[in-house]
Amino acid sequence: MTEKEEEKSMDCVSDQEREIAQLALSEFQKGNYSACLQNIHKLEVRTFDLKVAHNKLVAEYYKNDLRSTETFQKNLAAFYSQFKLRLEKLDDVDHCVAHYNQAVLLYHQKQYTQAIRIMERVYKFIEPMDENLAQQVGLLLVELQMSTKQLDKASGLLSFLENQLFHSHPVILKQGEKPAKVIDKDKKMCTVSSTTIDQFKKKLQMYKARCFLMKHSLGAASEEIEKIEEQSEMTIAARFLRANLLYLQGNCEAAMEILNGISSEADFGSSDESYNVILYNNLGTIYHAMGKYHLACHHYQKAIKADIELIQKEKPLYRLGSSRYHELIYNLGISLLHAGRSADAFDCLIIAVRRYHRNSRLWLRLAECCIHVHKESNEIDFNIPKEMKVGVEMIGTKKHQKIVLTKNLSNDKKYSVEGEPYAVPVPTLEFASLCLRNAYLLLPSDTTSPIPLLLIPGVTPPAPPPSPGPAPSVPLSPNSVSALKNSILASSAYVCLCLGDYVLALEHARNLLSQSKLLGAHRLLGHLYAAEALVFLDKIADALEHLNPENVKDIALHFPVSEILDESDNVANNPPSKWFPTNLISARAVIHYNTAVCKTLRGQFDQADGLFKQIWKDCRSNSKVPARLIMLVIYIELQLGHPDVARSLIKEYS
């Protein structure tokens, strides 16, 4: 049979065949799939009919409760081959349903890039498409774009769907977007019931609220959530949205009150989300924002347990992608890191990075775990305990008596000079160096080429490669990218100093100081690390240039409000800062101490002694000074010929 004859035969449907088809549809909508298949079998004489073959596959899949996904996928591939369907040659609206189903499969299998490629092609046929299918196509494309964090495109598509279906004014497209075909509203609305339209409106509102929350557009999100709450009862989904909004606004107590009102027994029924998992995860996130990291870990562990119980069961299609294990293990790792359990955090994040291996921030967190295992905090170096003993032993008697001083006042770990393997995933500084290299290479690009919403007719571009980003988190703002880059450079300089690679440490420190956007804390670290590297390279004069106290005006950990260009930076859900030193006086005391070390190395003991007097003066004004200061003062007093002063210090701290 030729193609023309085949098309003619498909158009020629007898009354009896049409009646059977209607019966099959009726039984399918009732959920009576066996009766539906019986009617479809009566139509199998139409071997050339693509719709009959496709509907048979779908009905069989539904009959098996959407559990035989692998079989359905194989049958769908055979169906494509039988009817010679190719996405690149899609030119018939009747073929869109098969491609749509293929995209649904890929979505639930979390193969979002391939699914988007299919849906963007299918979306071109939205004008002649059946209204119900057109709505499903639009919502699936929105869901895919949100899943891949293409929030601007998802927001634009939502505006398009809302304006074209419910309003008379034209859509205003952003620069770079391709105009879509206008739907004849009057012609299409008559085929859809008012109930269907109301349901679609509610879905659009939910998507818009989610999208605004992900973009951190809190004002717009609040308006949408209020509309949802006015038009419907407070469903569980609406409560989660409201709690999310309050959390982003920094009102953690109110968010927790809403979440505690949701029963932990709530199940997801026919949806692809487990409310139990979401509830425990969200409670953990709120506790983390409040600085209660151990409580956060407890709730994340409960969420992981619920998630594991979920994935052990045989799952229908809509639950294939319901597991949130890697996101939960990521959150748990972050809270463990903040709780000071760095080794446990490393074990969690090393699992998460297998899934999100292109996440620059995750690689930085892994490096931070390694650094904290090496040295938990630098605050201990500023504590001068009363029980500290400078002298550890007395040798000889009377005028021949000698005092043996301690070798080290701090509990710093002496790092092995022997080479350690870099690629072994254990919390060492060598592995931290590898993590930081990956983090720097995977930094999000400052410039991204715009991708049109719809494919250009006649042109089939290749699927875009996955770009580096903070998945599973939302895209970073420009200020966040700058802060991330600076953190990576500062950590890289520190690790190189610890490993004895002073040339590379100096390169990282100078790179850090050359950044156009630099927080006060990063500026301080950049100058200190550069100075230390130069001292080890025997360039003390250059080191002293970095130790000018005027180089550091503040030790801010966040950009000032005047420099915030993106509303997402106004989100108030960051946990309390634990960075040390906590004030500018203590920071400058560190600079003075390091300057004194340089002066001592050059034999300028009088100048070093003057700096120590300045440090002690600052110490009285509620600031902390490095504990190593005591040993250096004793050494300088001895060099200046003041043994009595040195003895009194030794007696005081022994």
Side-chain angles (χ1 to χ4, degrees):
M1 184 180 290
T2 65
E3 290 185 7
K4 291 184 178 180
E5 291 174 337
E6 192 171 303
E7 291 177 5
K8 185 177 180 181
S9 299
M10 288 181 66
D11 292 336
C12 296
V13 182
S14 66
D15 293 339
Q16 183 180 3
E17 289 173 334
R18 186 172 283 105
E19 184 179 345
I20 294 173
Q22 287 296 329
L23 285 172
L25 175 61
S26 177
E27 296 294 346
F28 182 85
Q29 291 173 339
K30 294 175 183 177
N32 192 355
Y33 304 118
S34 297
C36 173
L37 280 170
Q38 290 177 4
N39 285 295
I40 290 177
H41 288 320
K42 297 176 182 179
L43 298 173
E44 285 186 330
V45 293
R46 297 175 60 85
T47 55
F48 52 83
D49 197 328
L50 174 145
K51 294 181 180 178
V52 173
H54 177 265
N55 290 344
K56 179 184 176 184
L57 295 180
V58 174
E60 288 175 343
Y61 190 33
Y62 269 83
K63 184 181 178 182
N64 293 322
D65 295 327
L66 301 175
R67 296 180 186 277
S68 55
T69 302
E70 187 175 348
T71 302
F72 177 66
Q73 204 158 11
K74 289 179 180 178
N75 292 338
L76 198 59
F79 168 80
Y80 275 114
S81 178
Q82 177 185 350
F83 290 95
K84 300 178 181 179
L85 298 182
R86 293 181 61 187
L87 181 65
E88 296 79 8
K89 296 184 178 181
L90 178 60
D91 57 2
D92 190 339
V93 69
D94 289 337
H95 299 172
C96 290
V97 178
H99 290 292
Y100 168 79
N101 284 338
Q102 177 70 17
V104 171
L105 280 176
L106 293 170
Y107 164 74
H108 286 293
Q109 293 169 346
K110 297 190 175 181
Q111 299 180 37
Y112 301 131
T113 303
Q114 295 182 45
I116 285 178
R117 185 164 175 257
I118 293 173
M119 290 309 300
E120 287 181 336
R121 188 78 182 185
V122 170
Y123 192 84
K124 293 198 308 175
F125 295 87
I126 195 169
E127 179 185 359
M129 199 178 290
D130 174 75
E131 182 66 29
N132 288 323
L133 179 59
Q135 293 177 2
Q136 297 303 317
V137 166
L139 293 180
L140 178 58
L141 187 52
V142 168
E143 182 68 46
L144 287 166
Q145 289 169 345
M146 292 176 66
S147 297
T148 53
K149 307 302 185 290
Q150 301 178 50
L151 302 180
D152 289 335
K153 293 172 69 174
S155 180
L157 181 53
L158 283 168
S159 297
F160 166 77
L161 293 173
E162 185 177 38
N163 280 280
Q164 291 296 324
L165 293 175
F166 306 123
H167 299 290
S168 57
H169 57 270
V171 183
I172 300 175
L173 295 174
K174 295 181 180 179
Q175 185 177 3
E177 291 184 350
K178 299 294 181 181
K181 297 178 180 178
V182 179
I183 299 172
D184 187 346
K185 297 187 304 163
D186 297 332
K187 180 180 177 181
K188 301 200 79 174
M189 283 296 182
C190 62
T191 63
V192 184
S193 66
S194 59
T195 303
T196 305
I197 295 174
D198 289 340
Q199 290 177 350
F200 186 59
K201 280 184 177 180
K202 291 178 182 179
K203 289 180 180 178
L204 284 179
Q205 286 178 337
M206 293 291 287
Y207 274 110
K208 288 177 69 177
R210 284 177 52 199
C211 191
F212 285 135
L213 286 172
M214 292 174 72
K215 292 175 68 176
H216 294 168
S217 301
L218 304 187
S222 179
E223 291 178 8
E224 290 299 327
I225 293 172
E226 286 176 3
K227 291 178 184 177
I228 293 171
E229 293 172 345
E230 289 173 1
Q231 296 176 9
S232 61
E233 297 179 0
M234 282 293 289
T235 61
I236 294 180
R239 292 181 185 180
F240 277 126
L241 289 175
R242 172 59 67 180
N244 195 342
L245 175 64
L246 292 169
Y247 160 74
L248 293 175
Q249 292 173 335
N251 194 349
C252 294
E253 291 80 5
M256 187 173 296
E257 184 178 348
I258 291 176
L259 292 178
N260 286 330
I262 300 175
S263 172
S264 61
E265 302 298 323
D267 196 9
F268 54 12
S270 60
S271 75
D272 62 347
E273 299 282 357
S274 170
Y275 292 136
N276 223 6
V277 172
I278 297 174
L279 176 62
Y280 290 135
N281 173 75
N282 290 358
L283 286 170
T285 305
I286 291 173
Y287 277 121
H288 179 89
M290 297 170 70
K292 300 178 180 180
Y293 306 118
H294 294 287
L295 275 172
C297 293
H298 171 68
H299 283 84
Y300 288 140
Q301 288 167 342
K302 291 177 72 173
I304 290 172
K305 181 180 178 182
D307 189 80
I308 291 174
E309 292 175 354
L310 179 70
I311 63 177
Q312 288 176 345
K313 302 175 183 177
E314 187 182 3
K315 301 180 290 295
L317 173 67
Y318 52 83
R319 294 187 188 175
L320 280 181
S322 60
S323 174
R324 300 291 183 180
Y325 178 75
H326 287 91
E327 291 98 320
L328 296 171
I329 207 76
Y330 188 167
N331 287 348
L332 176 60
I334 298 299
S335 288
L336 286 169
L337 178 59
H338 279 77
R341 297 168 58 185
S342 307
D344 294 331
F346 181 87
D347 292 337
C348 291
L349 296 180
I350 205 69
I351 296 173
V353 82
R354 295 170 189 166
R355 176 69 178 273
Y356 305 112
H357 53 274
R358 297 179 67 83
N359 185 333
S360 175
R361 191 163 54 184
L362 176 52
W363 284 107
L364 172 62
R365 296 292 175 257
L366 272 170
E368 288 175 344
C369 290
C370 301
I371 291 170
H372 281 271
V373 168
H374 170 68
K375 185 173 182 179
E376 185 175 350
S377 171
N378 64 347
E379 188 171 2
I380 190 173
D381 293 338
F382 291 79
N383 292 327
I384 305 179
K386 294 180 180 179
E387 65 273 11
M388 181 179 70
K389 292 185 178 181
V390 174
V392 294
E393 191 177 358
M394 304 286 288
I395 298 176
T397 58
K398 297 183 179 179
K399 65 178 181 178
H400 301 294
Q401 190 177 59
K402 307 292 181 183
I403 301 174
V404 180
L405 301 182
T406 182
K407 292 182 179 180
N408 197 2
L409 288 179
S410 72
N411 295 322
D412 278 4
K413 299 176 184 177
K414 296 299 181 182
Y415 212 72
S416 174
V417 295
E418 298 180 4
E420 298 286 343
Y422 278 60
V424 178
V426 290
T428 62
L429 290 182
E430 284 84 2
F431 189 71
S433 176
L434 177 64
C435 293
L436 290 167
R437 197 179 313 158
N438 289 344
Y440 190 80
L441 292 173
L442 290 170
L443 277 169
S445 175
D446 294 334
T447 57
T448 55
S449 56
I451 301 174
L453 177 64
L454 302 176
L455 297 180
I456 301 172
V459 179
T460 305
S467 58
S473 304
V474 296
L476 300 176
S477 67
N479 280 349
S480 297
V481 173
S482 297
L484 174 60
K485 184 177 183 179
N486 297 340
S487 297
I488 293 170
L489 290 171
S491 299
S492 299
Y494 175 81
V495 169
C496 288
L497 284 171
C498 292
L499 294 176
D501 192 345
Y502 307 122
V503 174
L504 190 55
L506 180 59
E507 181 182 334
H508 287 312
R510 284 175 172 169
N511 191 0
L512 173 62
L513 292 171
S514 68
Q515 299 302 309
S516 57
K517 287 187 176 182
L518 198 59
L519 293 170
H522 288 144
R523 190 180 303 279
L524 170 66
L525 294 177
H527 284 297
L528 289 177
Y529 294 157
E532 184 171 347
L534 287 165
V535 168
F536 279 111
L537 294 172
D538 199 21
K539 297 181 180 180
I540 297 178
D542 294 336
L544 286 170
E545 293 180 8
H546 287 281
L547 294 175
N548 183 351
E550 297 304 316
N551 288 337
V552 180
K553 305 292 185 182
D554 63 82
I555 54 171
L557 299 174
H558 304 285
F559 288 106
V561 177
S562 59
E563 294 184 20
I564 294 179
L565 303 176
D566 194 317
E567 61 181 333
S568 64
D569 292 327
N570 287 318
V571 173
N573 61 353
N574 291 320
S577 174
K578 296 171 63 177
W579 199 77
F580 193 88
T582 58
N583 56 60
L584 187 59
I585 296 176
S586 294
R588 287 189 170 172
V590 175
I591 294 176
H592 288 312
Y593 165 77
N594 282 278
T595 304
V597 172
C598 291
K599 298 290 185 181
T600 304
L601 290 172
R602 300 174 75 173
Q604 299 171 337
F605 301 115
D606 290 333
Q607 295 182 29
D609 189 50
L611 285 168
F612 285 130
K613 291 177 181 177
Q614 178 65 37
I615 294 173
W616 283 118
K617 180 181 178 182
D618 293 339
C619 184
R620 298 192 193 100
S621 58
N622 197 27
S623 67
K624 293 188 176 183
V625 297
R628 292 186 180 91
L629 180 83
I630 307 300
M631 296 293 289
L632 190 57
V633 170
I634 293 172
Y635 174 78
I636 290 174
E637 295 296 342
L638 290 172
Q639 289 292 332
L640 290 174
H642 303 151
D644 293 338
V645 177
R647 286 195 197 99
S648 64
L649 285 171
I650 293 171
K651 187 178 294 185
E652 181 179 353
Y653 293 102
S654 296

